[in-house]
Amino acid sequence: MLESKLPAVGTTIFSHMSALASECGALNLSQGFPDFPAPERLRQALARQALEGHNQYAPMAGLPALREAIAGQLAHHRGVVCDADTEITVLPGATEAIYCAITACVSAGDEVILLDPCYDSYRPAVLLAGGVPVHVPLDPVTFMPNWARIEAAISRRTRMLVINSPHNPTGAALAREDLETLNRLVARHGLLVVSDEVYEYLIYDGRTHHSALQFDALRAATFAVFSFGKTYGVTGWKTGYCVAPPALTAELRKIHQYVCFVAVTPVQQALAEFMRAEPDYPLTLAARYQHKRDLFNRALAGSALRLTPSAGSYFQLLDYAALSDSADVQLCEAWTREVGVASIPVSVFYQQPPAQRLLRFCFAKQDAVLQQAAERLCKI
Ligand SMILES: Cc1ncc(COP(=O)(O)O)c(C=O)c1O
């Protein structure tokens, strides 16, 4: 009998809830993807690039034109200078970037600090590398890191720390002071960092996204990971990129070339073309998604669900403690079947879930869908 390398892993909750939502005809606010179209110009670019014959393997590190466009965007929007040849790698999705970064750097017995709740791909990647995930909880109310507690969790074996801002599932966003503290911590302890910044442009109420790439010690020690799927509303195109110093990038590419080798060529061509034509498109996202967050939250005003408006990402947490004592996994399924709104239980993002009553709702949905979902939730 084959011994599983990931015995605790089954079908992800995202697949399960999306399948249940479609089986029940529920409004699907569970999985994180938009239900409205990506920019037409981008979709047309993909069709044209494929028709024009850009259908064979791209260079392993990504199309030079796309890497140049990324370097331009980083300089323009973040003031970060990086070399497109030696520091930027295009991969089939941020998930693969995270996997390759962890696999490249974590050896048997190395500890990796993960901040719970966290995105579900981090822990399996650490385990498959033979590493030891060390889960440190975020504050249970604000979901911000407690840096003293994180520093206390650092041992001689600690190799890496994974951060994610804006944050899935909670919608929290790190402040400049958080990055400054982390910058000092990384310098003091010689740690590597994976900074998952896939929701970098989805940030609200006038906040600024602070990239790990903007802080000196972090810049030298970080794999910063981004997703075209999130920024351009094309999650099904599964294309992302990683920015890291040359020595780290070289190691990441050694793994990437044997996991996937390359990202999809016409997708890269289309993205490069769109980024050149509309360099400020990402800056339009915050207002558009904030409108959706506010529409959803306002429409919930009459319900007993409690919320703190999400600071970033396209997720809104709702606290249902006033409505039910059920565990979140059971309630989530029940509401999908009986109320007709699918969400994601927050406990699945924890190793040791605290006593919370929280569900995660994705508001990257059409306004009418958000309105209808809120109306259904108000009737509970
Ligand atoms: C925090 C976080 N990181 C990474 C990803 C994966 O991005 P990609 O689809 O580009 O692999 C997601 C997708 O939901 C996410 O929420």
Side-chain angles (χ1 to χ4, degrees):
M1 181 64 180
L2 178 69
E3 194 182 330
S4 173
K5 288 198 167 184
L6 296 171
V9 171
T11 309
T12 73
I13 188 77
F14 310 105
S15 307
H16 175 61
M17 290 312 303
S18 274
L20 188 64
S22 89
E23 182 191 314
C24 305
L27 300 171
N28 189 2
L29 274 59
S30 63
Q31 218 170 348
F33 61 83
D35 71 347
F36 43 87
E40 185 171 345
R41 185 175 194 164
L42 176 60
R43 289 179 287 132
Q44 277 178 345
L46 174 60
R48 185 167 24 75
Q49 293 290 349
L51 286 171
E52 283 175 4
H54 297 286
N55 300 304
Q56 307 308 329
Y57 294 132
M60 184 269 281
L63 281 180
L66 181 56
R67 285 186 279 127
E68 288 297 342
I70 294 167
Q73 192 180 72
L74 278 166
H76 182 48
H77 294 165
R78 306 273 175 242
V80 171
V81 176
C82 64
D83 186 281
D85 280 339
T86 59
E87 297 192 295
I88 297 175
T89 309
V90 179
L91 309 95
T95 310
E96 200 219 310
I98 293 162
Y99 178 83
C100 291
I102 291 174
T103 304
C105 300
V106 175
S107 302
D110 285 348
E111 293 176 1
V112 179
I113 295 180
L114 305 177
L115 308 179
D116 275 9
C118 67
Y119 183 59
D120 66 339
S121 84
Y122 307 155
R123 180 180 165 87
V126 174
L127 291 173
L128 288 171
V132 180
V134 175
H135 292 264
V136 178
L138 295 166
D139 181 276
V141 177
T142 63
F143 300 107
M144 297 300 277
N146 177 334
W147 294 110
R149 195 162 174 183
I150 291 166
E151 188 159 25
I154 296 173
S155 78
R156 275 188 310 111
R157 300 306 313 261
T158 307
R159 179 83 169 132
M160 183 180 261
L161 181 121
V162 182
I163 57 167
N164 169 213
S165 179
H167 188 250
N168 177 11
T170 68
L174 294 178
R176 164 169 277 282
E177 301 80 67
D178 290 299
L179 274 302
E180 283 167 354
T181 307
L182 177 60
N183 194 53
R184 285 194 294 273
L185 214 70
V186 161
R188 194 151 59 232
H189 296 279
L191 302 179
L192 294 171
V193 172
V194 168
S195 182
D196 180 342
E197 303 182 21
V198 300
Y199 300 105
E200 61 171 334
Y201 290 107
L202 308 183
I203 183 125
Y204 311 125
D205 304 315
R207 290 181 180 83
T208 302
H209 171 68
H210 302 288
S211 172
L213 299 172
Q214 293 167 308
F215 299 81
D216 286 350
L218 281 169
R219 176 74 174 88
T222 295
F223 296 91
V225 170
F226 305 89
S227 173
F228 291 111
K230 304 294 179 184
T231 299
Y232 296 96
V234 287
T235 60
W237 290 13
K238 282 304 294 187
T239 307
Y241 58 98
C242 179
V243 182
L248 297 185
T249 292
E251 293 307 313
L252 172 110
R253 289 179 183 173
K254 287 182 193 172
I255 310 294
H256 163 60
Q257 71 182 339
Y258 296 121
V259 173
C260 268
F261 183 49
V262 284
V264 175
T265 303
V267 167
Q268 294 190 64
Q269 295 277 15
L271 286 165
E273 184 185 318
F274 187 78
M275 287 173 81
R276 263 196 314 271
E278 300 201 24
D280 287 333
Y281 172 82
L283 302 180
T284 65
L285 296 176
R288 257 189 289 151
Y289 280 89
Q290 184 173 320
H291 159 83
K292 292 190 175 295
R293 180 202 66 175
D294 291 345
L295 184 154
F296 184 56
N297 290 356
R298 256 199 319 273
L300 286 167
S303 87
L305 293 158
R306 304 248 165 67
L307 64 90
T308 303
S310 168
S313 80
Y314 42 48
F315 302 114
Q316 177 64 55
L317 294 189
L318 299 181
D319 182 328
Y320 63 85
L323 285 173
S324 170
D325 285 334
S326 301
D328 61 357
V329 175
Q330 279 74 41
L331 193 78
C332 201
E333 293 207 7
W335 282 7
T336 304
R337 291 180 198 285
E338 294 154 22
V339 179
V341 182
S343 58
I344 295 286
V346 172
S347 64
V348 303
F349 297 89
Y350 283 93
Q351 275 312 291
Q352 290 179 319
Q356 283 173 335
R357 300 276 179 259
L358 293 173
L359 300 177
R360 187 200 82 175
F361 293 78
C362 173
F363 56 80
K365 307 296 166 188
Q366 296 167 56
D367 290 1
V369 172
L370 294 171
Q371 187 69 42
Q372 206 184 351
E375 281 165 16
R376 290 183 186 181
L377 293 167
C378 283
K379 289 195 188 126
I380 297 170

